[in-house]
């Protein structure tokens, strides 16, 4: 993030001689960032505009391409400006990424558990069929044993 450059813009436009002026990419490039081209400076203005929603209305802008300061700009800078916000956003993004990674790991784990549960359910179903067959075989063997015993008793 270009937090330092964003803070430089805020400091520049909040200087007493600049307070009532609108600044666009051309003016900021000429007066503040001569090594950057106008498109790069315009990207910085867009970043400020995007971040405004997170930091309240610290700036006013027209069509997202010009900016000027208001009464909240200076206090925002004194409170750490975009550098502080940038660090907070970076930490927030890291937490979000970590949470998303954990959610993905949990989803993968759930998929593995579901596959294992299906495998176990299939085995249980096979075991249940085998148990039914074994039970009928045991019943038949038991009946044959009873018949043999009865036959030996009758013969005997």
């Amino acid at each position: 993030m270009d937090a330092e450059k964003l803070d430089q813009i805020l400091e520049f436009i909040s200087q007493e001689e600049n307070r009532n002026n609108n600044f666009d990419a051309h003016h900021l490039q000429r007066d503040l960032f001569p090594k950057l081209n106008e498109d790069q400076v315009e990207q910085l203005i867009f970043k400020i505009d995007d971040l405004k929603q997170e930091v309240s209305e610290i700036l006013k802008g027209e069509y997202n391409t010009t900016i000027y300061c208001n009464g909240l700009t200076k206090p925002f800078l004194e409170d750490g400006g975009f550098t502080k916000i940038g660090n907070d956003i970076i930490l927030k993004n890291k937490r979000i990424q970590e949470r998303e990674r954990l959610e993905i790991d949990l989803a993968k784990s759930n998929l593995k558990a579901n596959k294992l549960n299906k495998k176990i359910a299939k085995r249980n179903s096979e075991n249940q069929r085998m148990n039914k067959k074994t039970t009928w075989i045991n019943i038949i063997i038991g009946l044959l044993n009873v018949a043999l015993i009865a036959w030996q008793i009758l013969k005997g």
Side-chain angles (χ1 to χ4, degrees):
M1 188 167 148
D2 299 309
E4 292 172 4
K5 288 180 182 167
L6 302 181
D7 284 343
Q8 283 179 298
I9 291 172
L10 295 185
E11 288 172 12
F12 179 76
I13 67 172
S14 64
Q15 291 173 357
E16 196 59 42
E17 63 271 13
N18 296 331
R19 286 197 80 142
N20 295 321
N21 297 325
N22 285 340
F23 289 93
D24 61 12
H26 172 74
H27 292 103
L28 291 172
Q29 186 270 332
R30 182 192 68 205
D31 297 338
L32 190 59
F33 300 114
K35 292 182 180 178
L36 301 178
N37 64 49
E38 283 186 30
D39 291 331
Q40 290 172 310
V41 176
E42 191 167 87
Q43 284 303 111
L44 293 172
I45 293 172
F46 288 145
K47 284 183 184 178
I48 288 174
D49 193 61
D50 288 343
L51 292 170
K52 270 196 321 189
Q53 296 168 357
E54 296 208 24
V55 295
S56 176
E57 289 290 325
I58 60 162
L59 303 165
K60 298 293 181 192
E62 297 175 8
Y63 310 112
N64 300 330
T65 59
T66 64
I67 58 173
Y68 59 93
C69 73
N70 66 21
L72 300 175
T73 306
K74 268 264 198 237
F76 174 72
L77 274 170
E78 291 168 357
D79 191 38
F82 284 113
T83 303
K84 178 182 175 190
I85 296 298
N87 292 336
D88 291 347
I89 290 171
I90 289 169
L91 286 174
K92 181 180 173 184
N93 286 342
K94 283 182 181 179
R95 286 187 199 120
I96 289 170
Q97 288 171 349
E98 178 66 16
R99 187 178 72 224
E100 287 172 352
R101 187 189 61 74
L102 289 172
E103 287 173 353
I104 288 170
D105 289 347
L106 178 61
K108 287 178 182 177
S109 174
N110 285 342
L111 288 173
K112 286 180 183 177
N114 286 342
K115 285 181 182 178
L116 183 61
N117 284 338
K118 284 181 182 180
K119 203 181 263 188
I120 290 171
K122 184 178 177 181
R123 249 190 235 149
N124 285 343
S125 179
E126 290 170 2
N127 287 343
Q128 192 174 12
R129 275 188 245 120
M130 184 59 102
N131 286 342
K132 284 182 183 180
K133 288 177 187 177
T134 306
T135 300
W136 280 108
I137 290 171
N138 285 334
I139 290 172
I140 291 170
I141 291 174
L143 289 173
L144 286 174
N145 282 333
V146 169
L148 283 174
I149 292 172
W151 183 66
Q152 284 181 353
I153 292 174
L154 289 175
K155 187 179 171 189

